[in-house]
Amino acid sequence: MRAHYRFDHSWHVDASPDAVLALLEDVRGYGAWWPSVRVTGGSLAAEHRTADLEVRAPLGYRLRIALTERERSPSELRAAIGGDLEGWCSWRVAPEGAGTRVDFAQEVEARQPLLRAASPLLHGAFAHQHGAVMRAAERGLCTALRG
């Protein structure tokens, strides 16, 4: 079954790596700058930081995912993903010119029954929807960093 997805996105933002990483670390604040994301819960406990998110795709379907922080360094955040999708994601930042290069990577398996069943037929459409969600993230991140 074709329910496996791998995504990679890279952007340049006009802000320092520290400023970008600080915004990305605040998962509970994603809804303030990422129009496709609504934060529904989570925990900020230092040893077990989590976030429950609802991600709305442009076609109107919603995915409920839980992020659990796995690793944090001065240049990278990694999280396990559970819920409607299962796998991992990461944000990496690096100085680039006068700003920062932001690299997002995600590898997941669809677990939500309808998404899983539709994936073989609609794999390309779902991947396109992910791209739209990430383009909205890029615009929102840049706007938030300017503000």
Side-chain angles (χ1 to χ4, degrees):
M1 184 173 278
R2 207 169 161 207
H4 182 265
Y5 296 84
R6 169 71 195 208
F7 302 107
D8 294 287
H9 303 277
S10 294
W11 315 317
H12 176 86
V13 296
D14 293 326
S16 72
D18 289 342
V20 174
L21 198 61
L23 194 63
L24 294 173
E25 275 184 317
D26 180 20
V27 178
R28 306 259 329 208
Y30 278 18
W33 58 266
W34 194 342
S36 304
V37 172
R38 184 169 69 93
V39 179
T40 60
S43 167
L44 298 177
E47 68 282 350
H48 189 71
R49 291 168 36 118
T50 65
D52 299 324
L53 307 177
E54 181 180 86
V55 181
R56 296 174 306 278
L59 287 178
Y61 64 90
R62 296 170 188 223
L63 296 174
R64 288 170 179 79
I65 62 171
L67 298 179
T68 303
E69 183 179 84
R70 290 291 182 231
E71 190 177 319
R72 184 188 322 174
S73 74
S75 63
E76 184 175 17
L77 305 171
R78 290 184 69 80
I81 299 174
D84 290 343
L85 303 173
E86 186 174 305
W88 61 270
C89 66
S90 71
W91 294 102
R92 275 194 274 159
V93 299
E96 182 177 74
T100 299
R101 178 185 171 97
V102 178
D103 293 312
F104 175 84
Q106 181 181 37
E107 190 164 352
V108 293
E109 186 81 17
R111 293 292 180 212
Q112 195 270 351
L114 186 55
L115 179 64
R116 190 167 181 77
S119 281
L121 181 61
L122 298 174
H123 195 273
F126 290 152
H128 181 75
Q129 292 295 290
H130 184 275
V133 167
M134 295 307 293
R135 285 188 297 279
E138 178 183 11
R139 287 188 303 272
L141 182 72
C142 289
T143 299
L145 288 164
R146 278 194 302 267

